[in-house]
Amino acid sequence: MTNIDDGETSRSPETAKNSAKKSVPNDPPRPVDWEAQAAVFDDEPDHGLRDPVVREAWAARLRDWLPRRPADVLDLGCGTGSLSLLATGQGHRVTGVDSSPAMVGRARAKLAGHPAVFLVGDATAPPVGEERFDVVLVRHVLWALPDPARALRHWCGLLRPRGRLVLVEGVWGTLSPVGIPAERLRGLLAPLVSDAAVVRLDDDARLWGKQAEDERYAVVADL
């Protein structure tokens, strides 16, 4: 998570807004020092998932999005591993990737004893070799990439047949919004997947620890 332009982030919308240049949506924000942020990253309600209401809200979403059977999940821009922890709690095997060694260290500590492996690397080209996954899970990463279409193509190549992308994204701010609108993301996915459904998330305050005032959503796309 050292540089948001490299796509290794699961930061809060507040951080995204504060770090963004004044520009049009999807203009890359200024770099954030994720090594320094690691110590306080989990203080955001939707990062640390310390509040049982917030944690259960995300757990319920993952139950809807991830396979019923045990599956191999690639969590890109995993941060401190909060979503990875929920996924392993539902019986899945997780590989997490983040560019910040400090974030990866915290994820490894958080998931000690769980079926999870965490790697330091670029989310746009994760260091997983020839390994393939049932699900690629990415939260608040794609919108900040210089070439999201290229990243999506690569991520689809990491999936097994009938695999699934789960992309949690949004558009944050009003005066100088940053993000990627849901319809644009669906358009990027159209040539790559057989089906893509948009799930609205801005109407569920439990996910964020407060009422959201901007566009937040997930796209669940099947090959």
Side-chain angles (χ1 to χ4, degrees):
M1 291 191 168
T2 309
N3 188 321
I4 200 170
D5 289 347
D6 291 335
E8 43 310 287
T9 174
S10 178
R11 76 218 153 275
S12 70
E14 288 74 16
T15 303
K17 289 185 287 186
N18 291 339
S19 63
K21 306 170 187 175
K22 56 180 182 179
S23 55
V24 296
N26 210 44
D27 188 41
R30 296 189 182 106
V32 176
D33 184 353
W34 292 112
E35 288 292 280
Q37 288 291 316
V40 297
F41 188 77
D42 280 354
D43 292 347
E44 289 288 339
D46 59 314
H47 289 178
L49 308 184
R50 292 166 174 162
D51 185 321
V53 173
V54 177
R55 184 168 59 252
E56 176 50 35
W58 281 103
R61 296 290 179 166
L62 289 187
R63 282 193 290 270
D64 288 340
W65 298 336
L66 301 183
R68 299 289 182 182
R69 59 176 175 76
D72 293 309
V73 177
L74 178 60
D75 184 1
L76 297 177
C78 63
T80 61
S82 294
L83 290 186
S84 295
L85 182 60
L86 293 182
T88 61
Q90 295 175 13
H92 303 296
R93 301 169 295 272
V94 175
T95 299
V97 175
D98 201 285
S99 71
S100 164
M103 293 284 188
V104 168
R106 289 178 178 271
R108 288 170 176 164
K110 186 181 292 186
L111 277 86
H114 293 266
V117 174
F118 292 95
L119 307 171
V120 176
D122 186 348
T124 60
V128 295
E130 297 299 313
E131 188 174 358
R132 292 296 180 266
F133 300 86
D134 301 299
V135 178
V136 171
L137 171 66
V138 193
R139 182 169 67 165
H140 300 165
V141 171
L142 186 69
W143 73 273
L145 302 183
D147 191 348
R150 181 179 179 183
L152 288 170
R153 289 193 298 271
H154 186 68
W155 295 345
C156 285
L158 297 175
L159 289 169
R160 294 177 177 135
R162 303 177 67 181
R164 169 171 286 185
L165 291 172
V166 178
L167 308 170
V168 181
E169 290 294 337
V171 178
W172 304 285
T174 54
L175 295 179
S176 300
V178 294
I180 181 169
E183 287 310 307
R184 178 169 180 249
L185 180 48
R186 285 190 68 179
L188 292 173
L189 285 167
L192 303 174
V193 302
S194 62
D195 181 64
V198 176
V199 182
R200 307 305 314 185
L201 301 178
D202 41 42
D203 59 353
D204 189 350
R206 298 171 302 167
L207 291 168
W208 317 107
K210 61 183 177 181
Q211 184 59 52
E213 298 179 353
D214 36 31
E215 181 181 3
R216 306 186 189 194
Y217 65 89
V219 172
V220 180
D222 295 323
L223 293 187

